[in-house]
Every structure is written in structure tokens, then in C-alpha cells.
Amino acid sequence: MGKSKGKAVEGSSSQQAEAQQKKWRLVLGEDSDEEEQYLDPADKPVWEAVPLDDQPIEWQPTLFNDRMDRLKDKAASFICEKEVKEVEFGSFNVFARFRALGWEAALNCYDRDNMNLFKDEIQEWMATLICNKYNKPQQMKLTGTVNGIEVEMSFDTLRKLANYDSFPTRDYMFPSLDDLFHKPEAHPTWNDMLEAFFFLPGTYHGTLYRKNLKIEAKLLIMICIYKVFPRRGDKQEVRFPEVPILYSLLHGSPCFPFRFLVINIVWICRNKLGRNIVPYCRIITGLRKMFKAITPKDKGAMKRHRPFDIRRMGIGWTYDESESYHKLNLKFSGGVH
């Protein structure tokens, strides 16, 4: 990760030496062949409102690291996906819903290292991310540097990591403005989506409270927060970007690539002021291993990655099983059998 160091340089005058000592050296990696860059603290921009990639590229790693280092609970900002086991959740249509979209690989954790979290190395990669110019979502690619090695997150590298989007020939739905204005019947309306997973019509105006969801939708959104659309903070509400994802899971369409969600959310979290999380830490770690960007010096921090446990799902949830049935119940909300 980029570090700031002072450096005294011989010069023709003491003024030159003093000026050089005030500059920071940006180290891109121990074995990097990049030309050394010197950043003057007086030139450091203020990151306010605008996306990070609108800032000078040489300052972006420093600004990202500053934001992360100011967090009171930095470790909690690194969101690690939880494994969802079919033996526990298959009876409740969870795997069937994900398979219908070709997203079933998202429920697994391919990385067998369940005791480490490489926070510093993941932060280094996020800080140095660059997004390519692309014409189609499938062309979007993020490239960052860690330990002097470029690690790429793209449709191709994510497919090598796991069998995401198991319908490679399926036409994914990316509605154009023309479709939205001239073919509204091709896409569900906002109210159509809300009506599909809220109990009563009057419960989905204004704030979208999770307590008003149908029970299957409650279960799916819990899993989405851990696996599909990671977030922290208040989990009592359904956020607007989660609405089409939840609708697609319940209906099997519209279909869009899980890989695009991952790449796009990583870029938003890195690039948008106020999005103080690092999502998909296990996916990022898997990519680092693929590119051999983990070195013997990278010890990581001890963090046990626990599976999503059907018997400990939170307040209100109860689970019962026998030889003849599995029952998942939520207080005041009925049950799923």
C-alpha cells in the first residue's frame, strides 16, 4: 500500500533540500519498475462530493487510504461473503431462485482459506483501481496493483474464479432508454416490483421497511445483503437498488449478470464519497491468489468466515425440522414450509 516517506536529496542549495524534504514519495510497490513520483503535500486536493476518479490520478490512492484510515471501526468495513449451504436452504427455494438467474455460484465460497482476511492488501488494491472505458457492461474491467502485481477484475477473470452466470449464451437484460419509453410492457414497473414482495399495497409507499416484506422476500434479502449486494448500517429498510435484484430472484427475470453487479459495486464503493465499505473481500482475495499476488509476507488477520446459519438468523426467526418437514418461521409474519 502506498506509504508516505520523507526523502532528503542533495542539491545546490539548502533551500532545494528543504523543499524536497517536504515532498512525499509515493511507492507503488517494493519491486515496482514505475518511475518514482513525488507529491507535494501543498498540492493535495480535497475530496468532496465528486467521484474519486475525477481527482488527479496520482492522488487517488492517498485520498482513498485517508478515507479508510479515518474510520473508527475499519475492520468492520471489510465485508466478507458468507457461504450458504444447499442442505440447509435448498428446501426454501433459495438455490432454485439463484439457479433461475444463473447465480448459484454466488452462494458458495470457493476460497477454502476461511481463517484469514488480507485487509492491507485488499485496501492497496482498491486504492489503486482504474476502470477501463467500455461500451457494453460485459467489457467493464477494474485493474489494481498489489505487491507490485496487477490484479484484474473482469467478466473473464471472475468466470475463471467460479461459474458465475451459468447461462453464458443467455441474453441479459440491459434496458435501453428507447425500450423504457417505447416498450414499457417489456419491463416491470416500480409498483409492479414492489407489489410482488410486499404484503399489502399500503406498505410500500415512502420508506420500504423489511418488516412488511413477504417471508420469502425477507429470507432472500437477508442472503442478498451477505452475498449479492453487501452493505452495512441500518438493515431495517429495503434500499432502492435492491428492489430489482429482489424482484429478479423472485421471478427468474429480468436477468442480468452477477459479474456486472460485483464489478460495478466494487467500483462504486471505491469511487463514491461516503461508501465506506470494501465489498466482496473473498472474491478479491480469490483474484489475488489467481494472479499470484499473495506473497509469503502477507500473513493477513485472523477472521473466521462463518457460514450463513439457518439456526441463528437473528431476532424473530425460528427453524424446526423433523423427518417429514423443514419449517422456517418469522414472528408476526407467518411461515415458509
Side-chain angles (χ1 to χ4, degrees):
M1 184 165 46
K3 298 179 180 178
S4 301
K5 298 180 180 179
K7 182 178 180 181
V9 178
E10 293 182 1
S12 57
S13 70
S14 59
Q15 290 182 341
Q16 288 178 332
E18 182 179 355
Q20 191 64 50
Q21 287 174 347
K22 291 181 180 179
K23 294 186 177 181
W24 292 352
R25 180 182 177 187
L26 180 64
V27 182
L28 301 178
E30 292 181 2
D31 300 323
S32 175
D33 294 329
E34 299 282 347
E35 182 179 352
E36 293 179 358
Q37 301 180 41
Y38 294 91
L39 303 179
D40 189 337
D43 296 332
K44 183 179 177 180
V46 177
W47 182 14
E48 292 180 337
V50 300
L52 182 57
D53 68 338
D54 283 347
Q55 299 286 358
I57 191 169
E58 66 273 14
W59 281 106
Q60 290 179 22
T62 299
L63 295 174
F64 181 85
N65 290 327
D66 286 349
R67 181 182 76 176
M68 293 297 296
D69 293 340
R70 283 196 298 267
L71 298 178
K72 293 182 179 179
D73 189 358
K74 182 177 174 181
S77 296
F78 290 79
I79 310 298
C80 297
E81 310 92 297
K82 291 181 179 288
E83 182 179 7
V84 180
K85 296 182 178 180
E86 187 166 10
V87 67
E88 293 189 353
F89 291 95
S91 301
F92 303 105
N93 292 328
V94 170
F95 276 75
R97 298 297 190 189
F98 275 75
R99 286 193 179 103
L101 295 179
W103 290 5
E104 64 271 21
L107 295 172
N108 301 317
C109 281
Y110 38 81
D111 184 2
R112 295 182 180 179
D113 181 1
N114 63 357
M115 298 299 292
N116 287 296
L117 174 59
F118 297 92
K119 296 194 301 292
D120 292 342
E121 292 78 16
I122 291 172
Q123 182 174 326
E124 178 183 355
W125 182 76
M126 290 283 289
T128 57
L129 279 185
I130 296 174
C131 183
N132 67 321
K133 294 183 179 180
Y134 58 94
N135 297 316
K136 299 179 180 179
Q138 293 90 330
Q139 298 171 343
M140 187 177 183
K141 178 175 64 177
L142 305 180
T143 305
T145 303
V146 57
N147 289 325
I149 298 173
E150 284 192 351
V151 176
E152 175 188 303
M153 176 180 280
S154 66
F155 267 56
D156 290 339
T157 60
L158 288 174
R159 170 57 63 83
K160 292 176 182 177
L161 190 65
N163 189 27
Y164 297 122
D165 304 321
S166 59
F167 299 111
T169 60
R170 186 167 180 175
D171 291 331
Y172 291 110
M173 194 282 288
F174 291 106
S176 65
L177 290 177
D178 184 68
D179 285 343
L180 290 175
F181 284 108
H182 300 291
K183 300 179 183 178
E185 69 282 357
H187 310 291
T189 66
W190 187 256
N191 281 341
D192 287 340
M193 291 189 287
L194 296 179
E195 185 178 353
F197 42 77
F198 278 91
F199 264 121
L200 300 172
T203 60
Y204 51 78
H205 297 291
T207 303
L208 306 177
Y209 289 108
R210 284 174 58 186
K211 65 182 181 181
N212 296 324
L213 291 172
K214 297 176 183 178
I215 192 167
E216 188 175 15
K218 281 188 174 80
L219 176 59
L220 287 172
I221 200 167
M222 283 185 69
I223 293 173
C224 283
I225 289 172
Y226 285 115
K227 300 295 296 183
V228 178
F229 209 103
R231 61 178 169 92
R232 292 182 65 198
D234 180 19
K235 295 183 174 65
Q236 300 303 312
E237 300 176 15
V238 180
R239 298 186 179 179
F240 289 167
E242 295 165 346
V243 170
I245 294 173
L246 192 54
Y247 180 88
S248 292
L249 281 168
L250 286 167
H251 286 262
S253 66
C255 187
F256 42 87
F258 177 78
R259 290 171 290 174
F260 180 64
L261 282 177
V262 171
I263 298 170
N264 200 39
I265 291 171
V266 167
W267 183 240
I268 289 172
C269 290
R270 184 263 184 186
N271 213 32
K272 185 177 180 180
L273 191 66
R275 289 299 294 270
N276 299 326
I277 67 168
V278 178
Y280 309 111
C281 286
R282 300 189 77 175
I283 287 179
I284 295 171
T285 299
L287 290 174
R288 290 182 59 239
K289 291 181 178 180
M290 179 190 301
F291 282 86
K292 303 186 185 306
I294 290 182
T295 71
K297 296 180 181 179
D298 300 330
K299 303 301 181 183
M302 292 297 293
K303 180 180 177 63
R304 185 176 181 183
H305 302 301
R306 298 181 181 275
F308 192 66
D309 193 339
I310 197 171
R311 292 163 184 81
R312 288 185 286 273
M313 289 177 53
I315 298 174
W317 290 93
T318 59
Y319 172 69
D320 299 297
E321 63 177 320
S322 71
E323 293 181 358
S324 59
Y325 71 86
H326 297 268
K327 182 180 180 182
L328 189 61
N329 206 61
L330 183 59
K331 188 176 181 181
F332 304 130
S333 299
V336 175
H337 301 266

